[in-house]
Amino acid sequence: MPPTTADSSVGPLERGIAVLRALARAPGGRLRPSELVRLTGLARSPVDRIATTLVRLGYLREEDRALALAPPLIELGLAYLRSSGIPGALGPLATALADELDESVSLAVPDGDAVRFVVQTTRRRTLSVAFRTGDALPAERCAPGPLFAADWDEPTYADWLARTRADPYDTGFPAVLPPPAGEGRPGEAEFRARAARARERGWSLDDQLIEPGLVAVAVPVRDGDGRTVSALSVVSHTSRHSARDLRDHALERMLRTAGRMGQALARVGSGPPAAAPRHDRSLDPKQELGPEYLQSLARGLTVMAALGAPGGMTLSAVAGATGLPRATARRSLLTLQRLGYVTTDAGGHRFAPLPRVLDLGYSPLSARSLAELAQPHLAALVSLLRESASIAVLDGEDVRYVARVAAGRIMSVAVTVGTRFPAHATSLGRVLLAGLPPERREEWMRHAALKPLTDRTLTDPDRLTAVVERTASDGYALVDQELEEGLRSIAVPVHGPGGQVAAAVNVSLHAGRTSAEQARETVLPALRAAAGRITADIALTCALQPLTIG
Ligand code: PHB
């Protein structure tokens, strides 16, 4: 594809992607604009315009004076994962194998001369690292690498050689530690021989190449044409298995699963994207865009996010999904193709995202826990209301605080993460009980101790049941001095990806300072808005994986 640099729309998309890549590699996904200038080599003014645009799209947030990756960016990686069909079609088979073997199982895809994980089961023990969905590994340091290298063309070998020479410490792979000192990288001949052996045997080993103690065996998952589209790995630790033992223990079942995976992939046809992408807000004629807004960056990313249909999408389908004119959609697709984020089928008719899209923040963002997702929203709520806010989950008879942002004032209740309070006496607890299915709620009421904590604490199970039912229909709970004299608290639910109540957020108030009526009128709408934002972030984070709490 010849570069289209004459087109002035190319620059902003390319530069915007450079900014996202820098942030994706930064600790905590945050950088100050001056750091972005240094890391990307861009001047301050383009960095500011890119930041303005990405904040408008919801992909970045301003936090203090820094820019931070925001969960909506996950939709770019999701477009690739959905389009590939791998997590959807093969994920359940990987989980079943992990259960059968009682070991960790992952699926990886080739990404240029690297290996990128697209499914990770979470069974991890002992000291081994857990690579996350979206993380990339050097091909020569993991079990899937030689399986993929067996299919590499000469330009890919040349890229591999250039990369291994230019980056001897693997700094281009943020998920891995540098190779141990003194352990030379395999030369080209050695790595080619390893790839040829892997092809011949149909499996490949990692005997502590990536990390001391970590061993893995991988087998290819082939599509209908016999191409290796993915590698299925089983990972263990030398305290349980040597690399060879692991192979002897797992290989037969792995080959059987890989065969089933090949068949499952063949059934993934082409279809509509699983979720409607958000339209570029710059298409809204009423939207005030301002001179800082980089429309070609916004459009390019909107196109990338729209490419989630299994098997790729035609230009017309992309134009239809984004609301962009065909010529505009085409220009964005060609730019994304030139930058290595999009490919086409042999006929050039269907466009699909490439695994490299996962480099744009997917792994750090999708690994965020409930506590991490909630934190910025609680902080914004506290700066708005100047009252403390928390998020908690139900844990037996208690609520357990998962995250909390305290207002400056001294409160009578000292609460930290991990604090527990009896659920029946708190607004958080009532919201969480209201979210239980009726049978579980009844069972809870039968067993809970329901101790009085103040004169006002509700301790009668029938009255508490009625109050919890009311909470379910109102969608909030207001609890007045039942946990502690002088303390009033109001809570609303946060929902999980299936719509169930996953957690509750509250604001705690001084009874003397804020009346119940004021709490309903002023606090409740802001609390609901914050809970809605946390719920939206959970939906993205957990589109393909379960939510972690702490
Ligand atoms: C992993 O899934 O974490 C994994 C797989 C293969 C390796 C190393 C790690 O060689």
Side-chain angles (χ1 to χ4, degrees):
M1 178 64 43
T4 46
T5 35
D7 179 343
S8 65
S9 74
V10 170
L13 181 53
E14 184 162 4
R15 293 191 200 122
I17 286 175
V19 164
L20 289 175
R21 285 172 64 92
L23 278 161
R25 276 154 198 255
R30 300 168 96 246
L31 287 169
R32 285 195 299 276
S34 59
E35 294 171 309
L36 275 170
V37 166
R38 182 170 53 77
L39 289 167
T40 59
L42 297 171
R44 178 62 191 248
S45 122
V47 163
D48 286 344
R49 295 187 68 193
I50 288 163
T52 301
T53 307
L54 294 174
V55 167
R56 266 292 247 296
L57 289 167
Y59 289 153
L60 298 185
R61 278 188 197 131
E62 285 165 314
E63 287 177 8
D64 300 326
R65 264 167 295 157
L67 291 157
L69 299 177
L73 194 57
I74 289 175
E75 69 189 13
L76 302 183
L78 281 179
Y80 163 71
L81 292 169
R82 288 185 169 130
S83 159
S84 77
I86 293 178
L90 311 191
L93 292 163
T95 306
L97 182 65
D99 290 343
E100 206 180 314
L101 293 170
D102 196 23
E103 299 286 357
S104 297
V105 169
S106 63
L107 283 162
V109 294
D111 182 359
D113 68 302
V115 168
R116 203 177 282 278
F117 291 108
V118 291
V119 170
Q120 274 287 356
T121 63
T122 49
R123 186 187 314 261
R124 295 279 156 164
R125 301 185 183 83
T126 62
L127 303 165
S128 66
V129 282
F131 294 111
R132 303 168 301 191
T133 299
D135 284 339
L137 262 49
E140 69 282 7
R141 287 182 65 193
C142 61
L147 293 171
F148 295 151
D151 288 345
W152 282 358
D153 55 13
E154 288 309 314
T156 308
Y157 266 109
D159 287 348
W160 176 80
L161 204 58
R163 190 261 298 159
T164 55
R165 286 184 179 149
D167 186 14
Y169 299 107
D170 290 336
T171 59
F173 297 91
V176 309
L177 293 171
E183 283 198 19
R185 217 179 266 285
E188 190 181 350
E190 187 186 339
F191 190 56
R192 281 184 192 263
R194 211 190 271 173
R197 257 196 325 271
R199 185 207 292 276
E200 217 170 275
R201 293 169 167 169
W203 51 265
S204 158
L205 293 187
D206 166 3
D207 189 358
Q208 309 180 69
L209 294 170
I210 200 74
E211 192 190 274
L214 189 98
V215 291
V217 51
V219 299
V221 176
R222 297 204 168 92
D223 69 5
D225 302 327
R227 272 183 315 216
T228 300
V229 286
S230 182
L232 170 67
S233 300
V234 170
V235 193
S236 191
H237 193 267
T238 44
S239 60
R240 285 168 60 79
H241 292 288
S242 71
R244 277 168 205 290
D245 281 351
L246 182 64
R247 181 203 55 200
D248 294 343
H249 170 63
L251 187 60
E252 204 175 303
R253 277 175 283 194
M254 290 178 74
L255 291 170
R256 206 176 317 133
T257 299
R260 287 196 193 118
M261 287 179 161
Q263 291 160 6
L265 262 190
R267 287 193 292 272
V268 178
S270 51
R278 295 167 322 147
H279 282 217
D280 171 7
R281 285 180 267 308
S282 65
L283 299 172
D284 179 354
K286 289 190 285 297
Q287 173 101 33
E288 199 45 65
L289 292 172
E292 289 286 287
Y293 193 78
L294 297 169
Q295 207 160 43
S296 59
L297 169 58
R299 287 175 170 169
L301 296 179
T302 302
V303 163
M304 206 191 274
L307 290 173
M313 287 166 81
T314 61
L315 174 58
S316 310
V318 174
T322 55
L324 290 168
R326 281 171 64 98
T328 311
R330 182 168 182 279
R331 208 154 47 231
S332 291
L333 285 165
L334 294 183
T335 306
L336 290 168
Q337 185 175 18
R338 184 178 65 80
L339 297 174
Y341 292 91
V342 160
T343 187
T344 57
D345 63 1
H349 297 305
R350 299 184 84 84
F351 294 85
L354 285 166
R356 193 166 187 210
V357 171
L358 292 169
D359 235 1
L360 306 179
Y362 186 86
S363 68
L365 283 167
S366 64
R368 285 192 183 171
S369 64
L370 176 62
E372 290 167 318
L373 291 177
Q375 185 71 28
H377 300 297
L378 296 180
L381 188 61
V382 171
S383 70
L384 184 72
L385 299 172
R386 295 166 177 272
E387 302 285 0
S388 302
S390 308
I391 184 161
V393 293
L394 193 62
D395 191 347
E397 292 189 19
D398 298 329
V399 298
R400 176 165 52 84
Y401 282 70
V402 168
R404 174 171 171 90
V405 175
R409 299 199 196 91
I410 296 167
M411 289 286 298
S412 56
V413 265
V415 179
T416 54
V417 169
T419 294
R420 291 160 167 275
F421 287 128
H424 69 284
T426 61
S427 61
L428 292 164
R430 298 220 178 131
V431 164
L432 292 165
L433 291 170
L436 289 179
E439 331 75 70
R440 286 197 47 209
R441 194 196 294 164
E442 278 162 31
E443 196 190 325
W444 193 95
M445 292 288 173
R446 272 201 302 280
H447 293 104
L450 307 185
K451 292 207 180 89
L453 299 158
T454 70
D455 291 350
R456 302 178 186 233
T457 312
L458 260 185
T459 55
D460 173 56
D462 292 336
R463 286 185 57 206
L464 184 63
T465 298
V467 167
V468 167
E469 278 165 7
R470 177 80 197 268
T471 300
S473 63
D474 288 349
Y476 75 93
L478 199 152
V479 171
D480 201 1
Q481 308 181 71
E482 293 189 44
L483 178 69
E484 183 169 327
E485 301 290 348
L487 181 73
R488 188 168 275 151
S489 150
I490 183 163
V492 299
V494 162
H495 297 277
Q500 77 285 16
V501 173
V505 282
N506 84 333
V507 170
S508 47
L509 306 156
H510 232 284
R513 214 169 38 225
T514 313
S515 70
E517 221 24 69
Q518 280 170 321
R520 267 190 210 94
E521 271 167 29
T522 61
V523 177
L524 184 57
L527 185 59
R528 281 194 161 133
R533 286 191 276 269
I534 298 170
T535 295
D537 284 355
I538 293 173
L540 285 161
T541 306
C542 300
L544 296 174
Q545 62 194 25
L547 181 66
T548 55
I549 302 295

